[in-house]
C-alpha cells in the first residue's frame, strides 16, 4: 500500500521501499515476499493475549516478523493515505490505550447480537485505522484482530466474504465518521 510519508529512515535511501530482512530493494519483489510470509504466519496459531495493545502489537509482530526488524513496534514518522493523515506518532501509545480501554469497558463485545457486535467492532476498527500504529501491515493486522475478537465473542467468521476493495472503501468512509458500511461488512462476515 503506497503511503504519503515524511523522509523515511526505514526505507532504502532514495526509494520508498522499506528496508527488509530479505534485503529486497524492488517494490514488487518485496510485496510478493511480504504477502507470502504473511499468509504463512497467518496459518500458524496466533499469539494469545488480553485483547489489548500489547496483544495487538504481538499479532503484528507474528505476522511480519520474517520481513521487518520493527515488526510489532509502532512507527516513528507521520504517514497518511489518500489525503488522510493518521495519528501523529507521539500520540500512538495513548490513543491505542484509550481504544483498548474502551473495548475492555465494553466487555470485549461479548454477549451482543450480530448487529450490535458489528456496529461496535466497526467503531473499534475505525479508531484503530485512524491511529494506524504501524508503518506497514495495518490492514492485515486489523482483519486478523477482528477475527480474534469475533471468535472470542462466540461468532464464527468467514474471511472469504470480505472483499478487499469494499473493506478499503468502508474504512475510508469510517475515517470521515461514517461507520455504517464497515458495520454492514462485519455483520456479513460473522455467524
Ligand atoms: N485513504 C484512506 N484513509 C483511511 N484509511 C485508509 C485509506 N486507504 C486505505 N486505508 C486503510 O488502511 C489500511 C491499510 O493499511 P496498510 O497499508 O498499513 O496495511 P497493509 O496490511 O499493509 O495493506 P492492505 O490492508 O492493503 O493489505 C486498510 O484498513 C485500509 O482500508
Amino acid at each position: 500500500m503506497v503511503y504519503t510519508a515524511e523522509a523515511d529512515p526505514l526505507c532504502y535511501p532514495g526509494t520508498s521501499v522499506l528496508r527488509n530482512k530479505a534485503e529486497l530493494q524492488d517494490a514488487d519483489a518485496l510485496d510478493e515476499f511480504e504477502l507470502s510470509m504473511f499468509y504463512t504466519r497467518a496459518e500458524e496459531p496466533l499469539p494469545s493475549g488480553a485483547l489489548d495493545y500489547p496483544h495487538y502489537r504481538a499479532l503484528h509482530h507474528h505476522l511480519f516478523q520474517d520481513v521487518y526488524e520493527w515488526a510489532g513496534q509502532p512507527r516513528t514518522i507521520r504517514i497518511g493515505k489518500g489525503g488522510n493523515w493518521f495519528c501523529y506518532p507521539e500520540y500512538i501509545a495513548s490513543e491505542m490505550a484509550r481504544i483498548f480501554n474502551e473495548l475492555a469497558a465494553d466487555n470485549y463485545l461479548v454477549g451482543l447480537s450480530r448487529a450490535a457486535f458489528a456496529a461496535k467492532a466497526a467503531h473499534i476498527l475505525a479508531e484503530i485505522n485512524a491511529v494506524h500504529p504501524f508503518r506497514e501491515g495495518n490492514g492485515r493486522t486489523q482483519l486478523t484482530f477482528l477475527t480474534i475478537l469475533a471468535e472470542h465473542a462466540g461468532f464464527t467468521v468467514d474471511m472469504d466474504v470480505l472483499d478487499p476493495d469494499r473493506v478499503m472503501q468502508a474504512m475510508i468512509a469510517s475515517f470521515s465518521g461514517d461507520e455504517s458500511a464497515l458495520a454492514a461488512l462485519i455483520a456479513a462476515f460473522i455467524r
Side-chain angles (χ1 to χ4, degrees):
M1 178 59 75
V2 176
Y3 278 106
T4 313
E6 301 173 306
D8 189 348
L10 289 185
C11 290
Y12 293 107
T15 76
S16 57
V17 179
L18 287 164
R19 294 177 192 273
N20 56 85
K21 290 188 173 180
E23 296 287 3
L24 297 168
Q25 302 199 19
D26 175 79
D28 291 339
L30 174 57
D31 279 352
E32 205 174 301
F33 174 60
E34 194 192 77
L35 205 56
S36 121
M37 294 321 301
F38 165 77
Y39 281 128
T40 303
R41 290 296 183 178
E43 296 278 298
E44 292 178 356
L46 295 169
S48 55
L51 297 173
D52 55 7
Y53 182 38
H55 190 189
Y56 197 78
R57 287 202 312 268
L59 287 174
H60 185 276
H61 177 267
H62 177 80
L63 297 171
F64 295 101
Q65 61 184 305
D66 309 283
V67 187
Y68 301 117
E69 288 291 347
W70 46 265
Q73 293 170 33
R75 67 187 156 82
T76 56
I77 62 156
R78 296 181 181 184
I79 60 171
K81 272 185 183 168
N84 292 334
W85 284 92
F86 300 116
C87 181
Y88 288 172
E90 55 272 39
Y91 305 120
I92 289 175
S94 57
E95 280 297 287
M96 292 301 277
R98 179 184 62 74
I99 295 164
F100 282 98
N101 281 341
E102 190 182 324
L103 182 63
D106 245 334
N107 194 27
Y108 306 98
L109 318 189
V110 171
L112 302 175
S113 68
R114 198 153 66 96
F117 175 90
K120 289 196 177 235
H123 179 65
I124 294 290
L125 276 204
E127 296 252 55
I128 292 175
N129 186 59
V131 178
H132 239 71
F134 308 111
R135 179 62 184 81
E136 167 82 1
N138 290 282
R140 284 166 279 178
T141 308
Q142 288 162 9
L143 294 185
T144 304
F145 183 71
L146 173 61
T147 303
I148 291 174
L149 198 58
E151 287 175 349
H152 179 262
F155 297 101
T156 56
V157 298
D158 184 1
M159 270 288 203
D160 294 341
V161 172
L162 284 179
D163 171 62
D165 284 343
R166 289 180 64 199
V167 173
M168 190 167 83
Q169 289 316 317
M171 206 58 98
I172 292 172
S174 80
F175 194 90
S176 313
D178 180 359
E179 294 167 1
S180 58
L182 193 54
L185 282 178
I186 295 172
F189 150 90
I190 57 176
R191 290 283 171 275

